[in-house]
Amino acid sequence: MDIEAALSDYIRSQVLKRPKYELGTDDPLISSGLIDSFHLVDLALFIEETFGVRIDDTELNAETFDTLSELTKLVRQRGG
Amino acid sequence: MIKSANYTRVGAKDRRSKMDIAAYETLTQAVQRQAAETPERTALIVLGETGEEFEISAGEFHRQASQYAWALAGAGIGAEDLVILVLRHSPELLFAFWGALYLGTIGSIFPFLTDRLDPEIYLERVRELVIHARARAVITYPEFEPRLKSLLAGADCQVMSVADVIQASGQPSAAQSWQSFSAEKIAFLQHSSGTTGLQKGVALSHRSVLNQIRAYSRAIELNSQDVIVSWLPLYHDMGLIAGFVMPLVAGVPLVLMSPFKWVVDPKTLLWAIHQWRGTLCWLPNFAYNHMARVIRQPDLKGLDLSSMRAFINCSEPVYLHSHAVFASKLALHGVKSEMLSTCYAMAENTFAVTQNPVGAPARTDWVSLRELQEQRRAVAVEPGAPGSTAMVSCGFPIDGTQVRIVDEGGEILPERRVGEIALRSDCMLSGYYRRPELTEEAIRSGWYFTGDMGYLAEGELFVTGRKKDLIIVGGKNIYPQDLEAIASQISGVVPGRCAAFGLYDAELGSEKIVMVCEVDEAGLAAQGYKSLELELRKRVVQQSEVALSDVRLVSRRWLLKTSSGKVARSVNRDKYLREFGQEDDIEVE
């Protein structure tokens, strides 16, 4: 499955609990609070389990990634 | 400070305190005496965010705190002056807080800047607190010093940085002794967060805090073999009292880690318990869910938590499910159901009001949900019966604290009738700092009206909800009016036509925040729904401690008002659930 689609699915269904939410690839995720700090940890676990890509605790912030496209790029760069 | 290289395992040497709390009249006496009698004893172990460990002895703590007292005195700050601490969760914060106490000033810890808050808005909040509470000093880091100095240019308040403190002339020695005060003297203030919380500084006397420590130590059978492990922030009563002041005064070693580190990597708390043979740990309800959900089984290999006497669930509503998922995740690592204890607490009573007897699981009371909601009665039914709900006991009132349940007219209600929880004690607040009118409103005939709803059964307290529209997220009190005020400032949102409320989320074990705002047609057309929604979410994150879980922008006159013309939060919460809860895109679990 396409990385971006899988991440988008996960965020909409598991974090926002709104599968039909229109999540744009450049919508801010962390700086907008769409993903709060608890769910950020869940997201990192999902990425590790699904793509085998590790995102360190210290990277769970808007500087590392803040949008779906930035997150997809990060996962791809690390071999996901 | 001793770096971890010199670390000595706690318990390896016999240097425990004698737990002689009864002898003291002030908090400062207790710590000074320990510094004089057992200076080498380990008082604190602070774990830094990047893995560094600091072991701080009773003597070293006293020396470092004295340095802060010295620096404050040198800057002309004196007894009764209010000192605001704008510092990270770090040894400096602990020393500065105690230094303020030594000097007889009134210390108050301001929640530190997080990476989501807007620094400019954050410092403006500090300024507001300084002005309205008439603080005489702020202790912060060099990087905030210039901006705060310019913001406070007109105020009679000194901005000091930790660098100034270290350079202050006169090196206090271990023998430095600070004068004693009356037991009635205000020791420190506790604030809850947000604009509303900052208006209400809970002022506590030395006597109240010591009475709390004595009574609560008995309730949890605190003893010289205990080791407390905590990740709780210190601007909140649970962290400040259970996770700092009580262990320090009672001479029980405290292992303290960062709340930010815990959130992203909660297994570090469990490994700290393992490493230091921890016996007591206080946690808000969501923490049980968080640890059960995000800690991976392989990361627990070899973990042993059998040293624990109790994990004490406190500061937000307690759920049976949260205890169950936590216990099941950690059963193989020594967690037993009798370790899962509960407590009901608030800053206005210094900390604990009730406590479940440690060593026995908190009692579960199965009651009829319908009777509870409609008749405000807790009618006991068979466990798990259809239409029942499990209420978890918060235990019995601690010594010196009386609890009663009252109706709207203030009449005492019998057992198993739901009403407002009122309390009277020897560890209550002296008042809200410089707000006599708020004090008068909250304390009537010696009884503090908590705003929480609950019932008593066989002497045990069960908390059912709240009278006020307060939202509790992850143990933090959030005032909906603060969030509504933020939303009202956004162009396109109709000012004053917003409602924020909490909804319980079983997966998180805490409340999530929903906001419904009326928007005007022109504003919506100009910005678009999505960008307005993101703008609202962003502003809330930058200006408060929380993120919104759901946002709905609605047309004018969607929100229902009370007869007095106010937006009624609970009524609109029900309307939200009716209108959007049934939508096929919301999963109702």
Side-chain angles (χ1 to χ4, degrees):
Chain A
M1 193 178 183
D2 175 35
I3 295 173
E4 187 172 285
L7 289 170
S8 177
D9 260 9
Y10 176 82
I11 294 167
R12 285 179 290 118
S13 61
Q14 300 302 310
V15 179
L16 302 171
K17 305 276 155 80
R18 288 176 66 180
K20 291 181 190 166
Y21 186 85
E22 283 178 33
L23 185 65
T25 54
D26 294 318
D27 286 348
L29 298 172
I30 300 178
S31 64
S32 67
L34 268 173
I35 304 183
D36 65 22
S37 37
F38 307 134
H39 283 111
L40 212 46
V41 187
D42 292 303
L43 176 65
L45 278 179
F46 169 78
I47 290 171
E48 190 167 343
E49 281 162 12
T50 314
F51 308 109
V53 167
R54 175 109 201 188
I55 298 179
D56 195 68
D57 310 334
T58 54
E59 298 176 308
L60 295 177
N61 54 55
E63 277 91 72
T64 313
F65 69 90
D66 197 28
T67 65
L68 202 50
S69 57
E70 287 167 10
L71 182 58
T72 306
K73 202 171 138 200
L74 184 76
V75 172
R76 200 165 282 143
Q77 275 170 353
R78 294 187 185 180
Chain B
M1 247 181 282
I2 308 161
K3 290 288 279 187
S4 51
N6 300 334
Y7 171 69
T8 312
R9 195 177 169 86
V10 175
K13 288 185 196 169
D14 181 25
R15 39 185 184 171
R16 303 296 178 123
S17 72
K18 295 191 205 94
M19 298 282 298
D20 193 12
I21 319 166
Y24 306 120
E25 286 194 359
T26 62
L27 298 163
T28 47
Q29 283 172 350
V31 173
Q32 295 200 92
R33 190 160 136 200
Q34 288 174 25
E37 291 182 359
T38 53
E40 297 300 315
R41 189 185 59 80
T42 301
L44 294 158
I45 293 155
V46 181
L47 311 181
E49 283 180 37
T50 45
E52 67 277 25
E53 295 172 1
F54 305 100
E55 183 187 0
I56 302 160
S57 67
E60 177 69 4
F61 183 82
H62 172 70
R63 263 191 304 278
Q64 295 274 2
S66 294
Q67 181 76 34
Y68 277 84
W70 202 266
L72 282 166
I77 308 302
E80 306 304 331
D81 285 340
L82 180 63
V83 178
I84 309 290
L85 308 175
V86 182
L87 298 169
R88 279 184 199 93
H89 193 82
S90 62
E92 288 74 36
L93 175 60
L94 309 177
F95 302 147
F97 184 81
W98 216 264
L101 263 182
Y102 272 163
L103 192 61
T105 60
I106 300 169
S108 187
I109 296 172
F110 196 86
F112 196 70
L113 181 67
T114 63
D115 60 1
R116 295 192 199 207
L117 285 173
D118 180 323
E120 198 47 37
I121 295 169
Y122 173 79
L123 293 176
E124 176 56 29
R125 291 275 161 78
V126 175
R127 189 194 73 86
E128 283 168 23
L129 176 63
V130 165
I131 300 298
H132 85 72
R134 282 170 278 161
R136 290 289 324 284
V138 175
I139 303 180
T140 188
Y141 295 106
E143 62 260 39
F144 290 149
E145 197 186 357
R147 187 73 192 115
L148 267 175
K149 271 190 168 151
S150 81
L151 277 172
L152 292 168
D156 181 20
C157 178
Q158 307 237 15
V159 179
M160 300 166 65
S161 100
V162 288
D164 303 336
V165 172
I166 293 158
Q167 283 161 11
S169 61
Q171 289 291 318
S173 69
Q176 172 76 47
S177 169
W178 299 93
Q179 67 172 100
S180 211
F181 310 101
S182 149
E184 297 309 320
K185 187 189 176 312
I186 303 300
F188 51 80
L189 305 188
Q190 294 198 66
H191 285 100
S192 52
S193 54
T195 314
T196 310
L198 290 177
Q199 311 272 333
K200 292 173 125 181
V202 175
L204 296 162
S205 68
H206 285 266
R207 186 192 301 280
S208 279
V209 179
L210 278 170
N211 282 342
Q212 163 76 209
I213 292 172
R214 288 183 194 112
Y216 195 56
S217 298
R218 279 197 295 276
I220 59 171
E221 297 166 36
L222 191 68
N223 65 70
S224 60
Q225 300 306 307
D226 278 322
V227 174
I228 291 172
V229 183
S230 177
W231 60 265
L232 302 168
L234 300 174
Y235 54 81
H236 183 280
D237 58 335
M238 180 164 60
L240 184 65
I241 305 301
F244 175 40
V245 176
M246 179 179 73
L248 190 70
V249 168
V252 168
L254 167 69
V255 180
L256 188 62
M257 59 178 283
S258 151
F260 301 109
K261 176 71 180 165
W262 177 80
V263 167
V264 294
D265 192 7
K267 70 172 183 292
T268 48
L269 175 81
L270 303 179
W271 283 104
I273 292 172
H274 171 99
Q275 187 182 351
W276 280 283
R277 310 309 297 149
T279 62
L280 293 165
C281 181
W282 282 260
L283 299 166
N285 190 77
F286 86 92
Y288 296 74
N289 292 60
H290 189 60
M291 288 196 276
R293 214 175 61 244
V294 307
I295 296 177
R296 283 168 288 208
Q297 216 52 259
D299 290 339
L300 299 178
K301 203 165 172 239
L303 178 77
D304 176 14
L305 301 173
S306 61
S307 59
M308 284 298 287
R309 290 205 296 124
F311 290 95
I312 302 177
N313 191 332
C314 185
S315 93
E316 61 180 342
V318 174
Y319 290 93
L320 196 59
H321 175 71
S322 304
H323 280 180
V325 293
F326 182 75
S328 121
K329 178 100 179 192
L330 297 166
L332 291 174
H333 303 281
V335 171
K336 300 187 176 70
S337 65
E338 57 264 35
M339 289 178 189
L340 303 177
S341 191
T342 56
C343 168
Y344 171 64
M346 67 194 57
E348 283 85 351
N349 203 44
T350 304
F351 173 56
V353 176
T354 63
Q355 170 67 42
N356 183 72
V358 166
R363 176 182 151 197
T364 306
D365 191 30
W366 289 87
V367 298
S368 154
L369 189 59
R370 190 172 172 163
E371 290 277 348
L372 192 71
Q373 288 172 341
E374 292 174 10
Q375 304 298 321
R376 310 223 295 185
R377 281 171 198 275
V379 177
V381 295
E382 284 295 308
S388 68
T389 186
M391 299 299 305
V392 182
S393 167
C394 288
F396 300 91
I398 61 169
D399 289 351
T401 295
Q402 291 168 273
V403 171
R404 51 166 71 150
I405 305 296
V406 296
D407 67 11
E408 273 138 27
E411 292 298 315
I412 302 169
L413 290 168
E415 284 224 326
R416 294 196 165 273
R417 288 280 302 279
V418 176
E420 184 171 2
I421 302 166
L423 65 92
R424 184 166 70 176
S425 78
D426 61 4
C427 50
M428 272 167 71
L429 72 164
S430 302
Y432 291 110
Y433 188 67
R434 294 186 161 157
R435 295 301 296 268
E437 75 289 359
L438 291 177
T439 309
E440 215 167 282
E441 205 179 291
I443 304 173
R444 285 168 269 159
S445 310
W447 290 83
Y448 171 70
F449 287 72
T450 65
D452 289 327
M453 304 294 285
Y455 65 92
L456 286 164
E458 293 82 47
E460 290 184 74
L461 181 69
F462 295 83
V463 182
T464 60
R466 289 179 294 279
K467 191 178 161 187
K468 298 172 280 195
D469 290 328
L470 189 71
I471 306 167
I472 306 183
V473 181
K476 274 185 279 201
N477 290 354
I478 306 298
Y479 295 89
Q481 59 268 37
D482 291 348
L483 305 180
E484 291 156 6
I486 294 168
S488 289
Q489 286 169 355
I490 297 169
S491 150
V493 172
V494 185
R497 303 290 301 174
C498 308
F501 45 83
L503 288 176
Y504 179 64
D505 181 328
E507 190 191 11
L508 289 180
S510 189
E511 285 188 300
K512 55 183 183 181
I513 304 177
V514 174
M515 198 147 182
V516 184
C517 298
E518 289 185 5
V519 288
D520 58 47
E521 296 290 320
L524 198 58
Q527 280 220 51
Y529 188 101
K530 187 64 173 294
S531 99
L532 200 55
E533 179 202 329
L534 288 173
E535 175 70 12
L536 171 61
R537 286 179 179 271
K538 205 167 193 163
R539 292 263 199 119
V540 167
V541 164
Q542 288 172 341
Q543 298 185 39
S544 74
E545 296 283 314
V546 288
L548 299 176
S549 169
D550 193 17
V551 171
R552 298 290 172 153
L553 303 177
V554 293
S555 55
R556 296 212 59 156
R557 285 184 289 280
W558 188 96
L559 289 165
L560 303 166
K561 295 202 283 188
T562 61
S563 52
S564 58
K566 279 189 183 167
V567 170
R569 299 189 186 100
S570 60
V571 177
N572 285 303
R573 176 182 180 274
D574 293 344
K575 184 172 177 185
Y576 164 87
L577 287 173
R578 277 198 310 276
E579 221 155 284
F580 303 115
Q582 302 304 319
E583 247 181 37
D584 58 359
D585 72 337
I586 289 195
E587 283 181 9
V588 182
E589 289 176 32

